[in-house]
Amino acid sequence: GKPVYTEDLAMKQALVVKILRSPHAFAKIISIDTSRAEKLEGVECILTYKDVPKERFTLAGQSYPEPSPYDRLILDEIVRYVGDEVAIIAAVDEKTALQAMKKIKVDYEVLAPVLDFEQALGHASVVHPEDDLQVNFDIGLKSEHNIAASWKEEVGDVEEEFKQCSVVVEDVYYPQAQAHAMMETYRAFTHLDHMGRLVVVSSTQIPFHIRRQLARALQLPASKIRVMKPRIGGGFGGKQTGAVEVFAAIVTLKTGKPAIIIYDRKETFSCTTSRHAMRLKVRLGADQAGIIRAIDIHVLSDTGAYGEHAATVLSCVGHYTLPLYNKTRAVRFTGHAVYTNKMPGGAFRGYGATQG
């Protein structure tokens, strides 16, 4: 048969969903006026942080209990990177939605952002000052210090082995953030079926995780949500994060009407996730025969504004790398994933192995 993608399955009368985004890296919304936008003919609904559930969740596509912190809301009073979501606009067509977006007035209290991940630890600004962050188990979260996750693993006496080595070398490496650049950008279509169940058609790698995310974020029983994944035009790990589904879903729940959201290429590059940028301090020790006997790696990972996949990508830098050196006598791997006011990091092919 003929393959179909998410947009091919969308109803023609579906509301078009667009997102008003923050122009600031770190700010608090003081006021938001949507009255002029709501009067525009063809606008169905405009949602702000006042209109969404206050249950924090993660967009990371991971099995429950997720090791990623529950640190985001659908819309928040605090915006944490340039491109963070401020308002959801739904209208009869894209032109009307974009016109409405321009009529929304937002006043911000601009805060000092954390832009350099090497300065995040102990920075005067705390990216997540709220007291309702949650984790399913200990991942080393210390949000007051901008630490989303920490990891430490050691086998053998590393320092003693270095003393026995004939050659010890040290260096620092900086793997950069990268974009997935899949052909089909992020998109989802939502509607209610004849039983009132929320149906989500999404270009995703993680349909079952999307259902769980939506159930928590929207405060619905999972049995009231069905997620369908048609053909997907590339993902490469990017679509292992639920970037768009919740925005179309909440519009459908609020209006009772089908809704579709399609990110353009700019949003795909700047408002989703990237590979985690990192700093790796590496120390290797070898004997006279050139066999590596000791390895010490310390990682600082930039998880950006939210902690999707922060703990697991960090740990995989060690788990995927150290077993390659099977003649070592001692290894140590330590690290922190830190919050900054930049687009979040997330899953990307290699998932930590590439950085390591």
Side-chain angles (χ1 to χ4, degrees):
K2 182 180 178 181
V4 293
Y5 296 84
T6 296
E7 193 174 0
D8 299 324
L9 296 174
M11 300 174 186
K12 291 183 178 180
Q13 73 272 27
L15 298 175
V16 175
V17 179
K18 291 293 181 182
I19 307 295
L20 175 65
R21 301 188 179 279
S22 170
H24 305 292
F26 197 22
K28 182 177 181 180
I29 298 173
I30 301 302
S31 65
I32 181 166
D33 183 359
T34 62
S35 58
R36 290 179 62 235
E38 289 168 341
K39 293 176 182 176
L40 193 65
E41 184 178 355
V43 172
E44 284 287 333
C45 76
I46 299 176
L47 306 175
T48 72
Y49 71 90
K50 300 175 184 178
D51 306 308
V52 301
K54 303 305 179 186
E55 189 71 35
R56 293 196 180 272
F57 60 98
T58 178
L59 291 177
Q62 298 174 303
S63 298
Y64 183 84
E66 303 100 325
S68 295
Y70 294 163
D71 57 7
R72 66 160 70 231
L73 299 173
I74 300 173
L75 296 171
D76 203 334
E77 187 178 12
I78 296 176
V79 287
R80 295 179 173 84
Y81 72 98
V82 174
D84 210 352
E85 297 84 12
V86 173
I88 304 168
I89 303 104
V92 294
D93 55 37
E94 183 177 24
K95 181 179 179 180
T96 303
L98 292 175
Q99 287 178 339
M101 187 185 301
K102 295 177 182 178
K103 294 179 180 294
I104 298 173
K105 183 179 179 181
V106 186
D107 291 324
Y108 298 93
E109 176 190 354
V110 179
L111 307 172
V114 182
L115 298 178
D116 184 346
F117 76 111
E118 292 185 279
Q119 297 179 6
L121 289 168
H123 197 284
S125 293
V126 177
V127 177
H128 282 276
E130 60 273 16
D131 58 6
D132 60 344
L133 268 64
Q134 299 178 45
V135 290
N136 288 310
F137 49 87
D138 184 19
I139 60 170
L141 171 71
K142 295 181 180 178
S143 59
E144 68 275 15
H145 299 300
N146 289 323
I147 298 175
S150 300
W151 195 267
K152 182 176 182 180
E153 199 163 356
E154 185 171 357
V155 177
D157 190 333
V158 172
E159 295 305 326
E160 182 60 32
E161 285 300 326
F162 275 122
K163 292 177 183 178
Q164 304 300 320
C165 288
S166 301
V167 178
V168 176
V169 295
E170 296 183 56
D171 214 331
V172 181
Y173 303 91
Y174 288 89
Q176 300 297 304
Q178 294 171 288
H180 307 81
M182 69 288 289
M183 288 189 293
E184 182 193 31
T185 60
Y186 299 84
R187 58 196 63 202
F189 161 64
T190 57
H191 66 96
L192 299 175
D193 69 11
H194 64 289
M195 297 293 289
R197 181 173 54 173
L198 177 66
V199 179
V200 181
V201 182
S202 177
S203 177
T204 182
Q205 298 172 242
I206 49 165
F208 293 99
H209 299 324
I210 292 295
R211 184 173 69 165
R212 189 177 64 254
Q213 291 172 11
L214 293 176
R216 182 178 176 89
L218 299 170
Q219 294 293 279
L220 288 175
S223 61
K224 296 292 185 181
I225 303 171
R226 180 189 182 195
V227 179
M228 300 169 60
K229 185 198 78 67
R231 287 290 184 93
I232 176 172
F236 315 121
K239 293 175 183 175
Q240 199 178 324
T241 299
V244 296
E245 292 82 359
V246 71
F247 304 121
I250 196 169
V251 166
T252 291
L253 292 177
K254 292 285 187 179
T255 66
K257 296 182 178 182
I260 187 169
I261 184 168
I262 298 176
Y263 274 10
D264 59 26
R265 187 60 61 182
K266 180 179 179 181
E267 289 175 302
T268 295
F269 279 144
S270 60
C271 306
T272 55
T273 59
S274 68
R275 192 187 297 283
H276 289 82
M278 294 186 183
R279 181 193 70 197
L280 288 82
K281 294 183 177 180
V282 181
R283 185 165 50 139
L284 301 177
D287 59 20
Q288 286 186 327
I291 297 174
I292 295 174
R293 296 301 190 184
I295 302 175
D296 187 14
I297 302 175
H298 180 73
V299 174
L300 188 67
S301 176
D302 185 353
T303 196
Y306 302 99
E308 275 88 18
H309 300 276
T312 39
V313 170
L314 172 64
S315 66
C316 285
V317 175
H319 289 160
Y320 290 167
T321 302
L322 294 177
L324 298 174
Y325 302 91
N326 60 359
K327 294 183 179 179
T328 54
R329 293 173 178 150
V331 296
R332 179 167 58 202
F333 174 77
T334 58
H336 300 297
V338 294
Y339 287 118
T340 61
N341 293 114
K342 292 185 282 187
M343 185 178 78
F348 197 124
R349 295 183 83 169
Y351 205 84
T354 311
Q355 292 95 322

